[in-house]
Amino acid sequence: LIESLVARAAPVRPLRPPLVRSAGWLLFAALILALIVVGHGVRPDLELDLRQPQFVVTTAAALLTGVLAAVASFIVSIPGRSRYWLLLPIPALIVWMSTVGYGCLTSWVSLESGELQLDDEAGCFAALVLTGAPLSLLVLIMLRHAAHLSPTPVAISAGLAVAGLTATALSLFHNHDASVWILVWSAGTVALFVALAGLFGPRMLAWAPR
C-alpha cells in the first residue's frame, strides 16, 4: 500500500503565506480599479469631496474593511488557524456603517422630493458588476482549498472583502447626491455580497477546484 501511494504521489506546491496571497488579490483589485478609471473616469466632484472629512472617513473605512476582510479570509482558510481572525474587519465595518448612518441622519433627502432618478443609478450597478464579478471569481479560486474545511465563514469573509472594495469603487466613480442612495448602495452592497457568499459560497468553493 505504501509503495503504491508513493508511486502515485504527485508534487504538491505549498501555499504561499496568507499575507502574500491577500496582497496578490488586493493588487488585482487595484488593477481592476485602474482599468475602470481609464475606461470610465472618476466623478467630476471627487476633488471637492476629498476635502470633506465625512467622505474621507467613510471611503477609508470601506477600503479598510475590504482589506482586513481579505486578510482574515486567507488566514482562516488555512487549517488550524483561529476563527477569531474573522473579527478583524469588524471595527472598520462599524466605523463605515456608522459614518454612513450619521450622514443619512444629518442630510436626508426624501424619496418623495423628486430629486432621485433611478436611471442615474444604472452607472452604479454597472460599476458594481464590473468590480465585484472579477474580484469574487478570483477570490473563490484562490480560496478553493478551504472548500472542505470551513467554507461558509471563509466565503462570508471573502464576500465582505469584495463588498468593501466594491463600495470604495462606487464612491470614486458615482456621485450619490441623495442620502437615501448612500445608505442603499453602502449597506446594500455589504448585505448583497455577504448574503450571496453565505448562500452560494460553499458551493462555489467546491466548484473552483474542478
Side-chain angles (χ1 to χ4, degrees):
L1 176 60
I2 295 176
E3 291 179 353
S4 63
L5 293 176
V6 172
R8 299 176 183 178
V12 177
R13 184 176 61 182
L15 291 175
R16 296 184 181 274
L19 292 180
V20 175
R21 298 169 62 209
S22 57
W25 183 76
L26 292 172
L27 287 176
F28 177 78
L31 176 61
I32 293 294
L33 294 181
L35 292 176
I36 297 179
V37 168
V38 173
H40 184 274
V42 297
R43 41 191 286 195
D45 60 342
L46 180 61
E47 183 177 355
L48 295 176
D49 283 335
L50 289 176
R51 301 176 184 176
Q52 300 179 7
Q54 181 180 338
F55 176 82
V56 173
V57 172
T58 302
T59 305
L63 178 61
L64 187 60
T65 299
V67 171
L68 294 180
V71 172
S73 61
F74 280 101
I75 291 178
V76 177
S77 66
I78 298 177
R81 294 299 179 93
S82 173
R83 292 193 178 184
Y84 285 112
W85 282 104
L86 296 174
L87 301 177
L88 185 63
I90 298 301
L93 178 62
I94 293 175
V95 173
W96 177 20
M97 292 294 102
S98 298
T99 53
V100 170
Y102 176 77
C104 290
L105 290 176
T106 55
S107 57
W108 183 267
V109 176
S110 173
L111 282 172
E112 298 177 357
S113 65
E115 299 181 8
L116 299 179
Q117 300 293 332
L118 292 177
D119 295 340
D120 296 337
E121 302 305 313
C124 248
F125 182 76
L128 185 147
V129 173
L130 290 175
T131 307
L135 293 182
S136 300
L137 180 60
L138 180 62
V139 76
L140 286 174
I141 294 175
M142 295 181 70
L143 294 174
R144 64 189 183 276
H145 303 284
H148 304 292
L149 301 174
S150 52
T152 301
V154 171
I156 291 177
S157 181
L160 182 58
V162 174
L165 296 183
T166 301
T168 303
L170 293 181
S171 65
L172 298 178
F173 304 134
H174 195 75
N175 181 23
H176 303 289
D177 293 325
S179 298
V180 64
W181 283 123
I182 298 176
L183 179 62
V184 168
W185 284 111
S186 297
T189 300
V190 173
L192 173 64
F193 282 104
V194 170
L196 290 177
L199 292 174
F200 303 105
R203 298 180 183 178
M204 296 300 294
L205 285 174
W207 164 81
R210 298 195 297 269

